Amino acid sequence: MIRVPRFIVISGGEAGAFYVRQLRRAVAAGKLDTDRILVVDRDPACRVASAHAGDPRVRIETADWAEWLAAHLGEASPADHLVPYHWAPHLLLGWLEGEARKAGAATSRGGALAPRGLPFEATTAAGDRALSYASWPCPPACIEPAVCPHTRGTKDWSLAADLEAPASDGATPVVFRCVHLVYGVGTVPVADILNARARLFGAVADGPRRYVVATSSHCHALATRLETSYRSPSTR
């Protein structure tokens, strides 16, 4: 049985309601043990509120996603798991930028990523690079099995692993892996998120640094260049 003390689910809408339902099903089937499923949404009457109101494990926090993460993610338990919304902006990049600034760094987005020759590559309105090994729409609940449900062939790729390789220009990769945990729900362990923050904190005073920050499954990713430099106390 998988033990996760708390899940942090981004979005109480249709996708979030699906993830909560699947987590509850995993608990009922004896595959998962959890104390809390915390759902973050700006709407107190979101779909999760009506669909899962009777489960004492499910709690809704009414807040903007980015604002909630900025206020609470850094204090979360390393044993918790984050369930991102698959169409969300690059929330973990924004959170990491904010944490770096708290540690005394100046941050800036570092420009376009070099093409990787993937079947799908595009720049989002926010400037992130959307990457995918799929040129077709994939269902959000795909568990990325060893045999791809679309091609019927062996899935011999991992975009997360690709992005973890050192960049050709020396930029340090910071990859938040979102991979299948249980019953169609992909998660990012909070321990991985906190470890990434610790890595940036440890390098803040060492001078300018370049990173490629990505949130990635085996098939899909958002990736962005991030540059940091130390700010002396007098310039903060």
Side-chain angles (χ1 to χ4, degrees):
M1 179 185 293
I2 298 170
R3 168 66 182 167
V4 176
R6 183 178 66 158
F7 289 93
I8 302 166
V9 180
I10 299 300
S11 175
E14 182 177 351
F18 169 79
Y19 295 139
V20 172
R21 181 170 66 250
Q22 293 304 99
L23 292 173
R24 293 179 64 197
R25 286 177 174 173
V27 170
K31 303 296 185 181
L32 174 67
D33 179 36
T34 187
D35 304 319
R36 177 72 66 193
I37 302 173
L38 188 149
V39 180
V40 182
D41 199 280
R42 288 177 291 185
D43 182 6
C46 63
R47 187 163 180 178
V48 168
S50 58
H52 303 286
D55 190 334
R57 291 187 185 88
V58 180
R59 173 183 170 186
I60 298 173
E61 294 218 353
T62 305
D64 173 84
W65 297 338
E67 291 176 1
W68 190 95
L69 292 173
H72 301 289
L73 182 57
E75 304 303 321
S77 166
D80 294 343
H81 280 230
L82 178 73
V83 183
Y85 178 51
H86 61 284
W87 289 119
H90 203 174
L91 292 172
L92 289 178
L93 168 66
W95 175 82
L96 197 61
E97 285 181 296
E99 294 294 294
R101 288 192 289 267
K102 291 178 187 177
T107 67
S108 61
R109 305 288 174 96
L113 291 170
R116 305 183 70 91
L118 297 170
F120 178 85
E121 299 187 32
T123 301
T124 70
D128 302 304
R129 195 68 174 161
L131 308 170
S132 180
Y133 267 109
S135 57
W136 54 87
C138 294
C142 179
I143 65 172
E144 300 181 328
V147 175
C148 174
H150 182 87
T151 67
R152 306 297 182 184
T154 300
K155 180 177 66 60
D156 56 359
W157 61 83
S158 173
L159 187 49
D162 293 348
L163 290 166
E164 287 170 343
S168 58
D169 64 355
T172 301
V174 177
V175 181
F176 300 108
R177 281 187 173 232
C178 180
V179 296
H180 179 249
L181 180 73
V182 66
Y183 273 48
V185 180
T187 69
V188 182
V190 169
D192 293 351
I193 298 171
L194 300 181
N195 286 340
R197 180 182 66 175
R199 289 170 57 197
L200 259 70
F201 279 11
V204 161
D206 294 339
R209 291 294 183 100
R210 292 175 295 168
Y211 299 91
V212 175
V213 181
T215 301
S216 182
S217 68
H218 293 304
C219 298
H220 316 283
L222 281 177
T224 311
R225 288 189 179 279
L226 178 66
E227 296 182 354
T228 65
S229 59
Y230 181 67
R231 295 182 300 170
S232 65
S234 61
T235 62
R236 295 181 196 173

